Amino acid sequence: MKKSIAIALMVLVLICITSCTNGKNKNETNTNFDEKIELILDTDVGADCDDMLALAYIAYAEKNMNVDLKAITCSSSADYGISAIKTFYKDLGMIPPSIGYASKSMPKYDNYCKQIVEKFGTENEYTKDNDAISVLRQALVESEKATICAIGPLSNISALLNSQPDEISALDGKTLLKEKCEKIVIMSGKFENQESLTPEWNTSLDIEASQNVVNNFPAPVYFVSYELGNSLFTGKAIMDKYQYDNPVSMAYMLYPGVIEAGGRPSWDPLSVYFAIGDSKEYLKLSQELTVTINDDGRSYINNEIKSNHYIIYFKDESIKDEISKYFDDCVIALYKSKG
Ligand SMILES: [Ca+2]
């Protein structure tokens, strides 16, 4: 009897230690790998190939982590963008979430979507579906606390912020975001060499939208900078293994200069990596600060004013190869699990 009481006490102590440890971790970072992540992805698929790796990494996370992808919206107007996303899911035997098209006419950069649809889709599956604003508003209504990850220009997110009450929700966009969005992670901004900056690509495509989101978003804004993503190459192992045999590898093979360079910078995969809380061992945050986007698209940091903005950095530069290998390995594991 005494022995069983002692065992029961030990179990209780162990449960307490475990729950206390988890509690501590929850307070250490703003992302939490242990809790379900309700994710909304806004992507300019077609422009750069790292959007495809981001999609594949999310699909891997849906299968292997506590990630619930609520919606995908396109921030490019590429004719085959939505079809390429649907084809990517179809090829994997997975059901895509609801997908929204760009809220306004945007550039139609397409380095691989048409070829992916022609090779892996049975027909051109381009449809108008819903507009991004409706899809985003609906996804927020259906979420408890969503994380938005935007890896293209911020046109859709800005329009969401400005949206008015409608049949989906009686709340305007800003109030809806305040209630239903935990954070936004944006691939945006160049911050090094503040005197000689050029605008970051995503920012430059819709400067007004970037300013609106950065200035008015009612939840913490996390920046994956040009510099962070530019220093971490991925895709070589995927290309070596699959060449043109799956949509992700095909996107890398087709993107100009990627074969010769042995990969592509990882702006978008790193954004998702932070958004889903998979990164707390490897990424760290700046102090709370303010990012300002000038009218010419250049981005500046003000460390003195606190505006719920944070810039993401590597904890240690020496672990970049490890992260790169991890991204490639996740994609390879995803396609191996396809059977
Ligand atoms: Ca992108």
Side-chain angles (χ1 to χ4, degrees):
M1 188 66 178
K2 277 183 183 174
K3 193 178 174 187
S4 58
I5 290 171
I7 290 170
L9 277 171
M10 277 176 69
V11 169
L12 268 173
V13 168
L14 275 172
I15 290 169
C16 180
I17 289 170
T18 307
S19 61
C20 290
T21 306
N22 286 343
K24 182 166 174 270
N25 285 343
K26 279 171 190 170
N27 292 330
E28 278 176 348
T29 62
N30 290 293
T31 52
N32 191 333
F33 190 44
D34 303 324
E35 288 180 0
K36 184 172 77 174
I37 301 291
E38 297 171 308
L39 184 67
I40 296 170
L41 182 75
D42 187 56
T43 167
D44 60 339
V45 66
D48 206 314
C49 56
D50 66 328
D51 293 76
M52 287 300 292
L53 202 154
L55 275 175
Y57 175 46
I58 292 171
Y60 174 83
E62 285 182 275
K63 287 187 165 190
N64 296 283
M65 303 174 204
N66 207 0
V67 170
D68 177 11
L69 181 62
K70 308 298 276 191
I72 299 174
T73 46
C74 288
S75 54
S76 122
S77 295
D79 287 337
Y80 289 82
I82 291 175
S83 304
I85 295 170
K86 287 184 174 175
T87 301
F88 160 79
Y89 277 98
K90 182 181 165 189
D91 175 64
L92 284 168
M94 293 174 73
I95 297 167
S98 74
I99 305 173
Y101 64 85
S103 62
K104 70 179 194 184
S105 181
M106 293 296 289
K108 294 190 172 201
Y109 300 110
D110 185 2
N111 288 293
Y112 50 81
C113 291
K114 185 170 188 285
Q115 290 94 326
I116 286 172
V117 173
E118 286 174 351
K119 177 158 183 177
F120 298 96
T122 52
E123 56 187 307
N124 180 0
E125 296 179 4
Y126 178 66
T127 57
K128 273 297 181 184
D129 286 272
N130 295 314
D131 75 275
I133 309 313
S134 302
V135 170
L136 289 166
R137 286 176 63 82
Q138 187 67 41
L140 286 171
V141 165
E142 291 172 4
S143 298
E144 286 177 38
K145 273 290 190 187
T147 291
I148 298 177
C149 185
I151 54 175
L154 290 168
S155 320
N156 289 335
I157 308 302
S158 175
L160 168 65
L161 194 53
N162 293 343
S163 63
Q164 296 303 307
D166 58 10
E167 65 281 2
I168 298 169
S169 170
L171 304 179
D172 62 49
K174 192 166 185 177
T175 312
L176 184 60
L177 282 163
K178 194 172 183 179
E179 285 200 2
K180 294 293 194 121
C181 180
E182 181 177 297
K183 63 182 181 294
I184 185 168
V185 183
I186 59 176
M187 196 282 113
S188 180
K190 276 186 183 176
F191 299 112
E192 286 178 9
N193 304 316
Q194 292 263 297
E195 297 306 312
S196 58
L197 280 171
T198 51
E200 184 276 322
W201 160 266
N202 287 338
T203 313
S204 70
L205 285 178
D206 196 335
I207 295 169
E208 201 179 328
S210 297
Q211 289 174 321
N212 186 32
V213 172
V214 169
N215 294 342
N216 299 310
F217 204 82
V221 182
Y222 297 92
F223 291 80
V224 168
S225 67
Y226 169 82
E227 292 88 0
L228 188 85
N230 194 49
S231 64
L232 193 144
F233 268 52
T234 41
K236 185 173 188 313
I238 299 166
M239 289 189 289
D240 287 348
K241 189 168 179 64
Y242 297 111
Q243 288 91 45
Y244 296 90
D245 291 343
N246 68 47
V248 180
S249 187
M250 189 176 191
Y252 275 72
M253 297 290 284
L254 289 172
Y255 194 84
V258 169
I259 296 173
E260 296 81 354
R264 184 72 183 148
S266 310
W267 301 286
D268 297 351
L270 280 167
S271 304
V272 175
Y273 187 50
F274 182 81
I276 65 175
D278 191 14
S279 65
K280 56 189 172 190
E281 299 289 323
Y282 297 110
L283 301 181
K284 66 179 181 183
L285 295 176
S286 69
Q287 62 172 355
E288 185 179 355
L289 45 76
T290 298
V291 171
T292 306
I293 310 289
N294 280 13
D295 289 345
D296 63 6
R298 292 186 292 175
S299 41
Y300 293 91
I301 295 171
N302 184 331
N303 282 306
E304 307 307 318
I305 305 172
K306 315 292 182 198
S307 298
N308 231 350
H309 296 167
Y310 304 87
I311 297 173
I312 302 168
Y313 297 99
F314 294 114
K315 274 189 182 172
D316 180 347
E317 292 285 317
S318 69
I319 46 80
K320 287 195 287 192
D321 286 349
E322 210 174 310
I323 302 175
S324 169
K325 183 175 183 311
Y326 176 65
F327 288 150
D328 283 348
D329 285 350
C330 285
V331 176
I332 290 169
L334 176 70
Y335 281 100
K336 275 189 178 164
S337 72
K338 178 188 160 191

